[in-house]
Amino acid sequence: MSLTNLTGIARSEGDPKIEHKGPSSLTGADRLARALGWVSIGLGVAELVAPGRIARALGLEDKQGLIRAYGARELASAIPTLSIDKPVGLAARIGGDALDLGTLATALHKDNPKRRNAAIATALVAGITLLDLVALAGVQAAHKRGARSDRDYSDRSGLPRGAAASRGLARKDFDIPADYRAEGTVADALPALSA
């Protein structure tokens, strides 16, 4: 759902009501990418707003600044993921997932009393990474051009007799209406100005 539809901000009272929509042009991979983009926004906001709670829950109390930075990264990757540049956003998300997994790996040691939470978070991030990979492969497959997709204009005629022979042809074919014809000068048309 787009923000415009969600907020109703662009609709006036007199606008016609949409009763039935046609089929969507979005593929399943596009929808998955969109969902992952919204997940990024939610996670990014949570990491920016409550890095201390997240750090304590995972036994990473000394990494609050890093978690806040990860929140900014999540928001930055959400923007292209929700745009037409989905592959860029999804690739950024996959890179971010690798950072998350690396950070979570430091919390899996036996001395961490929150090791179980860290293990659950690691499993969740691994699952999200798998979804990111599936979405990236699907989006790239759905929107890529074939290997021989270079544009070929060789069958277009353009100006078959050349530019010089084409000059003035439109004027010969077009009968200019009398009220469109401009004859004389502006001074002739407006004698009061010239006096």
Side-chain angles (χ1 to χ4, degrees), residues 78-161:
I79 294 167
T81 303
L82 292 171
S83 74
I84 60 170
D85 292 326
K86 289 175 182 54
V88 173
L90 290 168
R93 283 184 47 82
I94 292 167
D97 292 342
L99 290 174
D100 291 343
L101 289 171
T103 303
L104 287 168
T106 64
L108 295 176
H109 57 86
K110 292 182 180 178
D111 298 336
N112 183 0
K114 305 291 183 177
R115 181 176 174 211
R116 184 165 187 242
N117 292 346
I120 292 170
T122 301
L124 288 173
V125 172
I128 294 285
T129 303
L130 183 63
L131 290 175
D132 286 333
L133 289 168
V134 168
L136 178 61
V139 166
Q140 286 178 332
H143 300 289
K144 81 173 189 179
R145 292 183 172 176
R148 306 183 122 237
S149 65
D150 291 337
R151 296 178 194 258
D152 180 14
Y153 299 112
S154 63
D155 61 336
R156 294 190 179 178
S157 61
L159 304 171
R161 286 184 238 142

Side-chain angles (χ1 to χ4, degrees), residues 185-195:
T185 63
V186 174
D188 295 339
L190 302 169
L193 291 176
S194 61

Side-chain angles (χ1 to χ4, degrees), residues 42-54 67-68 71:
L43 183 59
V45 169
E47 288 176 334
L48 282 174
V49 172
R53 293 183 89 182
I54 294 171
I67 291 172
R68 186 172 286 125

Side-chain angles (χ1 to χ4, degrees), residues 11-25:
R11 299 196 60 87
S12 302
E13 288 182 24
D15 287 351
K17 192 172 192 170
I18 299 171
E19 295 180 2
H20 178 69
K21 292 179 12 179
S24 173
S25 62

Side-chain angles (χ1 to χ4, degrees), residues 3 9 18 46 61 69 76 80-81 106 110 126 142 146 163-164 169 174-175 181:
L3 283 176
I9 203 165
I18 299 171
E61 287 84 0
T81 303
T106 64
K110 292 182 180 178
L169 284 177
F174 183 68
D175 187 24
R181 290 188 187 131

